[in-house]
Structure formats: C-alpha cells, structure tokens
Amino acid sequence: MNNWWSGSTDQLVVCSRGALVELAAALPATGRFVVARLDGTRMTDADHALYEFSDALLLPGYFGWNWDALSDCLRDLNWLPADGYLIVVENAPQLLSSSAEDRHTLFRILYQAVRHWASPLGQPDGKVVPFKVLLLCDRDEEAALMRQEIAHSIDKMW
C-alpha cells in the first residue's frame, strides 16, 4: 500500500483493518481532497445505500434516487470540486447484504466511476482526477472474498 493513492492499478481497493496503518501515507500531501466515509452496516439495501451516498457526497437536489442517478453523479461531482476523491466504505462485507444483484450493480458503478476519473478524456484541461474507493473488511478472509466478488461483478460487464 505504499504507493496506493497514485500507483494503484486496482479499480476498487479492498483491505482488512490491519492494512490501515499505511493509509495515512497514502494520501497526497497537498491539494483539496474530499473523503467520504460510509458504513456498510447502514447500507444493507438499495434505499439505504443511496441515502448514505447522497448524505456523504452532498448529492444535488436533482439526484434521482436510483442506480443510474448514482452512476451519473459519481462521474460528475461538479457541486463538490476537489483535486481528488476518496470513498471509504467501512464494514464493507455488510454492504447491500439483502441483494447480491444490487451489490454487484454498485460494484460496477464504483468501478466505472474510478475509470471515468482516471481518463483524461472529458476532464477539464485533460487532467486526470484521482478517485479511489476503499472497501474495509475486518478480516483478511473477508477481503479476499470481496475481491473475488468484485472481479466477478466487473467480468459480468463485458
């Protein structure tokens, strides 16, 4: 995790709490960064997940309260200008535990948002904006299972 912020090739980073010791060194030293902290235990269904994202990222009034609207907002963020964005989801294994389909949809949305911000196309001045998603698990085993689930979700996109 030494070069996690700028050098990670992972689209969504999953780690156990034991890896957090190095996180402080992961954030850039300068710039304005938005850090949104969410809790998977409060996001067990789609409605609660959408609410938590809306609350954490101050989503605008026109937010449509569905997955497509969340996807659009995560790829825009013009109401929340910053030099970079970090979304941290604590207790990630509980995230959307009531629906595997919604969980996979959210993983795909987050993956697409990370890819969008990593591309200079369509960005102001062609500047890449760091947008990272960190999913925290209590145990290494949970983190390994979540990585597999994310990979499976993303593979279903193609």
Side-chain angles (χ1 to χ4, degrees):
M1 274 201 29
N2 291 347
N3 200 15
W4 175 76
W5 180 264
S6 61
S8 174
T9 57
D10 290 339
Q11 300 300 328
L12 305 175
V13 178
V14 180
C15 68
S16 62
R17 294 195 183 277
L20 287 181
V21 174
E22 299 176 42
L23 184 58
L27 293 174
T30 62
R32 180 170 182 241
F33 294 87
V34 171
V35 178
R37 293 183 66 161
L38 298 100
D39 186 345
T41 61
R42 294 195 311 246
M43 302 167 62
T44 57
D45 61 36
D47 288 339
H48 287 99
L50 293 169
Y51 175 81
E52 291 296 318
F53 272 96
S54 176
D55 191 47
L57 292 170
L58 308 171
L59 297 182
Y62 58 80
F63 176 58
W65 297 98
N66 59 54
W67 294 125
D68 289 337
L70 179 63
S71 179
D72 291 345
C73 285
L74 288 178
R75 289 181 286 128
D76 183 350
L77 296 172
N78 66 17
W79 64 91
L80 199 59
D83 298 311
Y85 301 89
L86 173 61
I87 296 175
V88 179
V89 180
E90 299 182 65
N91 302 305
Q94 284 77 42
L95 180 64
L96 293 164
S97 57
S98 68
S99 171
E101 182 180 339
D102 284 340
R103 187 172 162 112
H104 290 199
T105 297
L106 179 59
F107 289 154
R108 288 190 293 271
I109 288 168
L110 293 172
Y111 171 81
Q112 290 170 329
V114 170
R115 288 191 51 176
H116 167 79
W117 290 101
S119 171
L121 298 175
Q123 303 298 346
D125 302 323
K127 180 184 165 197
V128 171
V129 177
F131 183 98
K132 301 289 184 178
V133 178
L134 177 60
L135 300 159
L136 299 178
C137 302
D138 285 332
R139 298 185 322 271
D140 290 339
E141 300 80 26
E142 290 175 326
L145 288 172
M146 182 160 281
R147 282 186 205 99
Q148 290 175 353
E149 187 177 1
I150 290 168
H152 177 72
S153 298
I154 292 169
D155 286 344
K156 291 170 94 178
M157 291 174 65
W158 320 115

